[in-house]
PDB file of all heavy atoms in Angstrom:
ATOM      1  N   GLU Y 250      16.546  43.182   3.460  1.00 78.00           N
ATOM      2  CA  GLU Y 250      17.028  44.556   3.610  1.00 78.00           C
ATOM      3  C   GLU Y 250      17.159  45.243   2.259  1.00 78.00           C
ATOM      4  O   GLU Y 250      16.807  46.403   2.092  1.00 78.00           O
ATOM      5  CB  GLU Y 250      18.371  44.565   4.345  1.00 78.00           C
ATOM      6  CG  GLU Y 250      18.236  44.232   5.834  1.00 78.00           C
ATOM      7  CD  GLU Y 250      19.553  44.403   6.575  1.00 78.00           C
ATOM      8  OE1 GLU Y 250      20.520  44.919   5.962  1.00 78.00           O
ATOM      9  OE2 GLU Y 250      19.606  44.017   7.741  1.00 78.00           O
ATOM     10  N   THR Y 279      23.930  18.192  -3.161  1.00 93.00           N
ATOM     11  CA  THR Y 279      25.139  18.617  -3.863  1.00 93.00           C
ATOM     12  C   THR Y 279      24.745  19.760  -4.780  1.00 93.00           C
ATOM     13  O   THR Y 279      23.565  19.939  -5.097  1.00 93.00           O
ATOM     14  CB  THR Y 279      25.799  17.466  -4.645  1.00 93.00           C
ATOM     15  OG1 THR Y 279      27.072  17.909  -5.129  1.00 93.00           O
ATOM     16  CG2 THR Y 279      24.953  17.026  -5.842  1.00 93.00           C
ATOM     17  N   GLU Y 304      28.051   8.945 -10.935  1.00 98.00           N
ATOM     18  CA  GLU Y 304      28.963   8.708  -9.806  1.00 98.00           C
ATOM     19  C   GLU Y 304      28.245   8.319  -8.521  1.00 98.00           C
ATOM     20  O   GLU Y 304      28.831   7.697  -7.633  1.00 98.00           O
ATOM     21  CB  GLU Y 304      29.820   9.966  -9.573  1.00 98.00           C
ATOM     22  CG  GLU Y 304      30.839  10.207 -10.683  1.00 98.00           C
ATOM     23  CD  GLU Y 304      31.572  11.532 -10.539  1.00 98.00           C
ATOM     24  OE1 GLU Y 304      31.144  12.356  -9.680  1.00 98.00           O
ATOM     25  OE2 GLU Y 304      32.548  11.758 -11.284  1.00 98.00           O
ATOM     26  N   ILE Y 340      14.154  13.305 -11.182  1.00 98.00           N
ATOM     27  CA  ILE Y 340      13.026  14.236 -11.254  1.00 98.00           C
ATOM     28  C   ILE Y 340      13.532  15.674 -11.247  1.00 98.00           C
ATOM     29  O   ILE Y 340      14.211  16.105 -10.311  1.00 98.00           O
ATOM     30  CB  ILE Y 340      12.047  14.003 -10.087  1.00 98.00           C
ATOM     31  CG1 ILE Y 340      11.488  12.576 -10.167  1.00 98.00           C
ATOM     32  CG2 ILE Y 340      10.915  15.036 -10.112  1.00 98.00           C
ATOM     33  CD1 ILE Y 340      10.593  12.172  -9.020  1.00 98.00           C
ATOM     34  N   LEU Y 346       8.553  31.231  -8.048  1.00 87.00           N
ATOM     35  CA  LEU Y 346       8.906  32.193  -7.007  1.00 87.00           C
ATOM     36  C   LEU Y 346      10.006  31.608  -6.124  1.00 87.00           C
ATOM     37  O   LEU Y 346      10.028  30.399  -5.887  1.00 87.00           O
ATOM     38  CB  LEU Y 346       7.688  32.541  -6.143  1.00 87.00           C
ATOM     39  CG  LEU Y 346       6.599  33.427  -6.784  1.00 87.00           C
ATOM     40  CD1 LEU Y 346       5.396  33.548  -5.858  1.00 87.00           C
ATOM     41  CD2 LEU Y 346       7.138  34.814  -7.128  1.00 87.00           C
ATOM     42  N   ILE Y 348      12.366  30.392  -2.940  1.00 77.00           N
ATOM     43  CA  ILE Y 348      12.016  29.587  -1.781  1.00 77.00           C
ATOM     44  C   ILE Y 348      11.686  30.451  -0.559  1.00 77.00           C
ATOM     45  O   ILE Y 348      10.909  30.068   0.305  1.00 77.00           O
ATOM     46  CB  ILE Y 348      13.162  28.592  -1.476  1.00 77.00           C
ATOM     47  CG1 ILE Y 348      12.602  27.229  -1.110  1.00 77.00           C
ATOM     48  CG2 ILE Y 348      14.139  29.110  -0.435  1.00 77.00           C
ATOM     49  CD1 ILE Y 348      13.565  26.086  -1.307  1.00 77.00           C
ATOM     50  N   GLY Y 349      12.259  31.669  -0.489  1.00 71.00           N
ATOM     51  CA  GLY Y 349      12.012  32.537   0.658  1.00 71.00           C
ATOM     52  C   GLY Y 349      10.823  33.454   0.490  1.00 71.00           C
ATOM     53  O   GLY Y 349      10.487  34.222   1.394  1.00 71.00           O
ATOM     54  N   LEU Y 351       6.971  34.646   0.350  1.00 76.00           N
ATOM     55  CA  LEU Y 351       5.812  34.280   1.159  1.00 76.00           C
ATOM     56  C   LEU Y 351       4.854  33.353   0.412  1.00 76.00           C
ATOM     57  O   LEU Y 351       4.298  32.420   0.983  1.00 76.00           O
ATOM     58  CB  LEU Y 351       5.068  35.566   1.585  1.00 76.00           C
ATOM     59  CG  LEU Y 351       3.952  35.411   2.626  1.00 76.00           C
ATOM     60  CD1 LEU Y 351       4.523  34.890   3.936  1.00 76.00           C
ATOM     61  CD2 LEU Y 351       3.242  36.745   2.841  1.00 76.00           C
ATOM     62  N   ILE Y 360       9.263  19.361  -2.057  1.00 95.00           N
ATOM     63  CA  ILE Y 360       8.851  18.293  -1.121  1.00 95.00           C
ATOM     64  C   ILE Y 360       8.220  17.126  -1.873  1.00 95.00           C
ATOM     65  O   ILE Y 360       8.566  15.963  -1.653  1.00 95.00           O
ATOM     66  CB  ILE Y 360       7.884  18.849  -0.050  1.00 95.00           C
ATOM     67  CG1 ILE Y 360       8.637  19.770   0.916  1.00 95.00           C
ATOM     68  CG2 ILE Y 360       7.212  17.712   0.725  1.00 95.00           C
ATOM     69  CD1 ILE Y 360       7.730  20.614   1.807  1.00 95.00           C
ATOM     70  N   ILE Y 363      10.723  15.087  -4.028  1.00 97.00           N
ATOM     71  CA  ILE Y 363      11.508  14.163  -3.206  1.00 97.00           C
ATOM     72  C   ILE Y 363      10.653  12.967  -2.778  1.00 97.00           C
ATOM     73  O   ILE Y 363      11.097  11.815  -2.818  1.00 97.00           O
ATOM     74  CB  ILE Y 363      12.080  14.887  -1.965  1.00 97.00           C
ATOM     75  CG1 ILE Y 363      13.104  15.937  -2.415  1.00 97.00           C
ATOM     76  CG2 ILE Y 363      12.734  13.902  -1.000  1.00 97.00           C
ATOM     77  CD1 ILE Y 363      13.572  16.864  -1.310  1.00 97.00           C
ATOM     78  N   ILE Y 365       8.089  11.676  -4.347  1.00 98.00           N
ATOM     79  CA  ILE Y 365       7.876  10.792  -5.502  1.00 98.00           C
ATOM     80  C   ILE Y 365       9.157  10.018  -5.822  1.00 98.00           C
ATOM     81  O   ILE Y 365       9.110   8.824  -6.133  1.00 98.00           O
ATOM     82  CB  ILE Y 365       7.391  11.599  -6.732  1.00 98.00           C
ATOM     83  CG1 ILE Y 365       5.987  12.159  -6.475  1.00 98.00           C
ATOM     84  CG2 ILE Y 365       7.378  10.718  -7.987  1.00 98.00           C
ATOM     85  CD1 ILE Y 365       5.500  13.142  -7.525  1.00 98.00           C
ATOM     86  N   PHE Y 401       1.879  29.388 -11.962  1.00 88.00           N
ATOM     87  CA  PHE Y 401       2.536  28.284 -11.272  1.00 88.00           C
ATOM     88  C   PHE Y 401       2.463  27.013 -12.121  1.00 88.00           C
ATOM     89  O   PHE Y 401       3.350  26.182 -12.081  1.00 88.00           O
ATOM     90  CB  PHE Y 401       1.891  28.039  -9.902  1.00 88.00           C
ATOM     91  CG  PHE Y 401       2.248  29.097  -8.877  1.00 88.00           C
ATOM     92  CD1 PHE Y 401       1.388  29.389  -7.840  1.00 88.00           C
ATOM     93  CD2 PHE Y 401       3.450  29.785  -8.947  1.00 88.00           C
ATOM     94  CE1 PHE Y 401       1.717  30.353  -6.885  1.00 88.00           C
ATOM     95  CE2 PHE Y 401       3.789  30.754  -8.002  1.00 88.00           C
ATOM     96  CZ  PHE Y 401       2.918  31.029  -6.970  1.00 88.00           C
ATOM     97  N   PRO Y 410      -0.157  11.632 -21.088  1.00 98.00           N
ATOM     98  CA  PRO Y 410      -0.783  11.923 -19.787  1.00 98.00           C
ATOM     99  C   PRO Y 410       0.245  12.086 -18.674  1.00 98.00           C
ATOM    100  O   PRO Y 410       1.369  11.591 -18.762  1.00 98.00           O
ATOM    101  CB  PRO Y 410      -1.662  10.690 -19.536  1.00 98.00           C
ATOM    102  CG  PRO Y 410      -1.043   9.602 -20.345  1.00 98.00           C
ATOM    103  CD  PRO Y 410      -0.461  10.270 -21.558  1.00 98.00           C
ATOM    104  N   ASN Y 444      26.271  21.306 -33.035  1.00 98.00           N
ATOM    105  CA  ASN Y 444      26.294  22.076 -34.278  1.00 98.00           C
ATOM    106  C   ASN Y 444      25.053  21.767 -35.111  1.00 98.00           C
ATOM    107  O   ASN Y 444      25.134  21.192 -36.203  1.00 98.00           O
ATOM    108  CB  ASN Y 444      27.557  21.771 -35.087  1.00 98.00           C
ATOM    109  CG  ASN Y 444      28.698  22.697 -34.729  1.00 98.00           C
ATOM    110  OD1 ASN Y 444      28.484  23.870 -34.442  1.00 98.00           O
ATOM    111  ND2 ASN Y 444      29.905  22.167 -34.714  1.00 98.00           N
ATOM    112  N   PRO Y 466      28.285  26.124 -42.850  1.00 96.00           N
ATOM    113  CA  PRO Y 466      29.211  25.046 -43.221  1.00 96.00           C
ATOM    114  C   PRO Y 466      29.395  23.954 -42.161  1.00 96.00           C
ATOM    115  O   PRO Y 466      29.700  22.820 -42.508  1.00 96.00           O
ATOM    116  CB  PRO Y 466      30.542  25.788 -43.470  1.00 96.00           C
ATOM    117  CG  PRO Y 466      30.410  27.087 -42.739  1.00 96.00           C
ATOM    118  CD  PRO Y 466      28.959  27.438 -42.769  1.00 96.00           C
ATOM    119  N   GLY Y 479       2.948  19.274 -40.148  1.00 97.00           N
ATOM    120  CA  GLY Y 479       4.267  19.121 -40.781  1.00 97.00           C
ATOM    121  C   GLY Y 479       4.367  19.788 -42.133  1.00 97.00           C
ATOM    122  O   GLY Y 479       5.142  19.353 -42.985  1.00 97.00           O
ATOM    123  N   SER Y 490      16.607  24.267 -51.715  1.00 97.00           N
ATOM    124  CA  SER Y 490      17.567  24.484 -50.621  1.00 97.00           C
ATOM    125  C   SER Y 490      17.564  23.309 -49.651  1.00 97.00           C
ATOM    126  O   SER Y 490      18.612  22.883 -49.152  1.00 97.00           O
ATOM    127  CB  SER Y 490      17.228  25.775 -49.865  1.00 97.00           C
ATOM    128  OG  SER Y 490      17.479  26.903 -50.665  1.00 97.00           O
ATOM    129  N   LEU Y 547      23.393  12.117 -33.148  1.00 98.00           N
ATOM    130  CA  LEU Y 547      24.571  12.557 -33.907  1.00 98.00           C
ATOM    131  C   LEU Y 547      25.845  12.227 -33.140  1.00 98.00           C
ATOM    132  O   LEU Y 547      26.865  11.884 -33.728  1.00 98.00           O
ATOM    133  CB  LEU Y 547      24.486  14.063 -34.196  1.00 98.00           C
ATOM    134  CG  LEU Y 547      23.477  14.490 -35.269  1.00 98.00           C
ATOM    135  CD1 LEU Y 547      23.315  16.002 -35.272  1.00 98.00           C
ATOM    136  CD2 LEU Y 547      23.886  13.998 -36.655  1.00 98.00           C
ATOM    137  N   SER Y 552      25.037   5.587 -38.717  1.00 92.00           N
ATOM    138  CA  SER Y 552      25.160   5.698 -40.176  1.00 92.00           C
ATOM    139  C   SER Y 552      23.941   6.411 -40.760  1.00 92.00           C
ATOM    140  O   SER Y 552      22.841   6.346 -40.212  1.00 92.00           O
ATOM    141  CB  SER Y 552      25.285   4.309 -40.806  1.00 92.00           C
ATOM    142  OG  SER Y 552      24.057   3.617 -40.734  1.00 92.00           O
ATOM    143  N   SER Y 555      20.794   4.330 -41.332  1.00 95.00           N
ATOM    144  CA  SER Y 555      19.980   3.926 -40.177  1.00 95.00           C
ATOM    145  C   SER Y 555      19.363   5.101 -39.441  1.00 95.00           C
ATOM    146  O   SER Y 555      18.448   4.919 -38.639  1.00 95.00           O
ATOM    147  CB  SER Y 555      20.838   3.143 -39.178  1.00 95.00           C
ATOM    148  OG  SER Y 555      21.503   2.080 -39.803  1.00 95.00           O
ATOM    149  N   THR Y 558      15.434   5.724 -39.504  1.00 97.00           N
ATOM    150  CA  THR Y 558      14.691   4.655 -38.824  1.00 97.00           C
ATOM    151  C   THR Y 558      14.816   4.781 -37.311  1.00 97.00           C
ATOM    152  O   THR Y 558      13.815   4.662 -36.582  1.00 97.00           O
ATOM    153  CB  THR Y 558      15.216   3.268 -39.260  1.00 97.00           C
ATOM    154  OG1 THR Y 558      15.096   3.182 -40.679  1.00 97.00           O
ATOM    155  CG2 THR Y 558      14.425   2.152 -38.605  1.00 97.00           C
TER     156      THR Y 558
END
Side-chain angles (χ1 to χ4, degrees):
E250 288 187 8
T279 189
E304 290 173 350
I340 299 175
L346 288 174
I348 222 158
L351 190 63
I360 290 167
I363 294 171
I365 293 171
F401 286 152
N444 270 325
S490 291
L547 286 170
S552 71
S555 307
T558 303

